[in-house]
């Protein structure tokens, strides 16, 4: 085994202790001290440098059957992370290598090398492999281009547009020749960001009035593609503004994640008959075949500055939970990252 000296004796990690009902509360979680693990045969020990917090994690805190297994009570949670290999029992991985993996919410992780992907810190900042060049970026790319079947000339509406996924959806649409890109966000500051930095043609603060009215004003010629990160009134508004053969890619529904009662569905679904509209949900895990093409196309846009991104960085493993709760509140602009 190759390793580096002077590893700490204590590894701090976040456990789920109670399944939240409604909004998660701090007492549903515990920051636990454990031993730094020793990597077994074929494993590496990684010191996490950046970890990701994402809206989908709220679903894994429930026992309800879903596309991902629920977090186990009393055990460390999981999530995307980028870190440095500090000990290796695996061929092809050396101390000092940087890797992307799925064992976040902790300071040190021992994992099978087959579950680690090497990343190059010289090609892009390490944190971008959790965001603009990582799972969130691929989510935007696959959802817009494959699920929503975007084509040049489409008018595109994006909800949660200042978030990590939404901001990339809008910019990719512009770079691919959209006729108009409209975004919604939860503050005037975020609206300004969409217009001034990300190049959206129109944007509005959904807290300033009915979404349907604001969308009609922002998209007077209607909407061909809606990328949905929010659900609720945004979904109903998009259907109401649909053009013929409009398409909706359902990525998330953050507005209802903490509801304790079922959210009512859109009241205007019958309009899909008139417009021959299509709604399709998707999971990024079904589209990893696009990863090489995604990196090939989007990587140069990121390096050239054509595709801009923001990160909201929170310092310290002890603040991991607060960062996650901040995502649910919409505190972040761009990708929420925890720097350890």
């Amino acid at each position: 085994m190759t390793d580096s000296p002077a590893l700490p004796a204590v590894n701090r990690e976040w456990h789920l202790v109670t399944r939240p009902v409604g909004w998660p509360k701090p007492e549903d979680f515990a920051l636990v001290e454990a031993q730094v693990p020793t990597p077994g045969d074929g494993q590496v020990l990684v010191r996490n440098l950046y970890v990701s917090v994402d809206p989908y994690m709220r679903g894994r805190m429930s026992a309800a059957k879903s596309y991902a297994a629920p977090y186990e009570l009393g055990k460390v949670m999981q999530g995307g992370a980028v870190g440095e290999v500090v000990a290796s029992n695996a061929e092809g991985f050396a101390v000092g290598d940087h890797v992307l993996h799925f064992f976040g919410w902790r300071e040190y992780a021992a994992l099978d090398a087959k579950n680690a992907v090497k990343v190059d810190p010289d090609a892009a900042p390490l944190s971008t492999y959790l965001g603009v060049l990582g799972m969130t970026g691929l989510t935007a790319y696959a959802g817009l281009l494959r699920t929503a079947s975007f084509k040049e000339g489409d008018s595109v509406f994006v909800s949660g547009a200042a978030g990590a996924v939404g901001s990339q959806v809008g910019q990719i649409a512009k770079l691919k020749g959209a006729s108009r890109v409209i975004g919604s966000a939860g503050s005037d500051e975020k609206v300004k960001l969409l217009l001034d930095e990300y190049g959206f043609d129109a944007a509005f603060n959904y807290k300033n009035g009915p979404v349907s009215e604001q969308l009609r004003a922002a998209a007077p010629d209607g909407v061909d593609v809606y990328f949905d990160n929010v659900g609720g009134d945004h979904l109903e508004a998009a259907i109401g503004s649909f053009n013929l053969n409009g398409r909706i890619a359902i990525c998330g529904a953050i507005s209802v994640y903490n509801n304790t009662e079922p959210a009512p569905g859109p009241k205007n679904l019958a309009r899909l008959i008139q417009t021959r509209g299509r709604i399709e949900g998707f999971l990024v895990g079904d589209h990893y075949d696009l990863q090489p093409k995604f990196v090939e196309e989007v990587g140069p846009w990121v390096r050239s500055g054509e595709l801009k991104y923001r990160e909201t960085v929170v310092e310290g493993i002890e603040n991991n939970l607060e960062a996650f709760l901040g995502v649910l509140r919409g505190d972040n602009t761009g990708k929420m990252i925890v720097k350890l």
Side-chain angles (χ1 to χ4, degrees):
M1 181 172 74
T2 60
D3 56 22
S4 57
L7 292 176
V10 173
N11 183 30
R12 292 181 293 171
E13 54 187 40
W14 281 97
H15 291 198
L16 182 68
V17 296
T18 306
R19 299 205 182 278
V21 177
W23 274 87
K25 303 180 295 293
E27 52 266 33
D28 296 327
F29 308 84
L31 182 59
V32 175
E33 291 189 350
Q35 283 189 314
V36 174
T38 301
D41 191 39
Q43 290 193 324
V44 292
L45 178 65
V46 179
R47 177 171 67 91
N48 287 334
L49 301 174
Y50 296 92
V51 300
S52 178
V53 286
D54 302 280
Y56 79 87
M57 293 173 175
R58 176 62 184 88
R60 297 194 66 186
M61 293 170 188
S62 166
K65 187 175 181 181
S66 184
Y67 61 86
Y71 290 134
E72 294 185 57
L73 292 179
K75 294 189 177 180
V76 62
M77 294 185 289
Q78 297 175 332
V82 175
E84 180 182 1
V85 174
V86 294
S88 176
N89 257 332
E91 186 177 345
F93 287 84
V95 170
D97 285 345
H98 291 86
V99 295
L100 172 67
H101 62 88
F102 206 69
F103 293 85
W105 289 84
R106 70 200 82 184
E107 292 176 303
Y108 288 84
L111 57 133
D112 293 343
K114 66 182 180 182
N115 294 325
V117 177
K118 287 185 184 180
V119 295
D120 183 358
D122 295 324
L126 286 172
S127 59
T128 63
Y129 294 105
L130 295 174
V132 66
L133 292 178
M135 185 176 72
T136 52
L138 182 60
T139 300
Y141 188 86
L144 177 69
L145 301 183
R146 177 176 281 174
T147 306
S149 305
F150 170 85
K151 61 183 184 298
E152 187 176 353
D154 279 341
S155 171
V156 178
F157 172 44
V158 188
S159 58
V165 174
S167 59
Q168 269 190 266
V169 172
Q171 290 183 85
I172 292 171
K174 289 290 290 183
L175 288 163
K176 288 279 193 179
S179 62
R180 189 168 178 82
V181 174
I182 306 102
S184 73
S187 73
D188 294 340
E189 181 183 15
K190 289 181 179 180
V191 167
K192 188 174 188 300
L193 176 71
L194 294 177
L195 297 171
D196 295 349
E197 186 165 329
Y198 293 150
F200 282 57
D201 297 294
F204 60 86
N205 181 347
Y206 66 82
K207 298 175 182 176
N208 286 349
V211 174
S212 58
E213 293 178 10
Q214 294 196 76
L215 179 58
R216 279 195 295 270
D221 295 324
V223 169
D224 299 302
V225 168
Y226 171 46
F227 193 103
D228 190 14
N229 289 305
V230 172
D233 55 354
H234 282 72
L235 178 56
E236 187 169 295
I239 294 171
S241 285
F242 248 11
N243 290 329
L244 195 65
N245 298 314
R247 290 91 67 203
I248 296 175
I250 303 286
C251 178
I254 197 169
S255 70
V256 301
Y257 283 169
N258 295 303
N259 287 6
T260 55
E261 298 293 332
K267 297 189 291 290
N268 58 349
L269 283 176
R271 194 165 189 278
L272 296 176
I273 303 169
Q274 174 189 347
T275 61
R276 289 74 148 181
R278 172 167 63 85
I279 302 178
E280 184 177 345
F282 76 100
L283 295 173
V284 67
D286 296 334
H287 301 281
Y288 280 120
D289 62 297
L290 287 176
Q291 179 77 24
K293 185 177 180 182
F294 160 69
V295 172
E296 179 184 346
E297 188 165 21
V298 175
W301 287 340
V302 173
R303 287 191 290 274
S304 69
E306 290 175 274
L307 195 153
K308 298 174 175 61
Y309 66 95
R310 287 281 190 98
E311 295 174 338
T312 300
V313 179
V314 173
E315 300 265 353
I317 187 69
E318 65 276 8
N319 293 313
N320 216 95
L321 174 59
E322 181 55 29
F324 167 70
L325 296 176
V327 169
L328 297 183
R329 292 190 300 261
D331 293 351
N332 56 303
T333 300
K335 184 75 183 76
M336 181 74 90
I337 301 281
V338 181
K339 181 180 180 181
L340 273 55

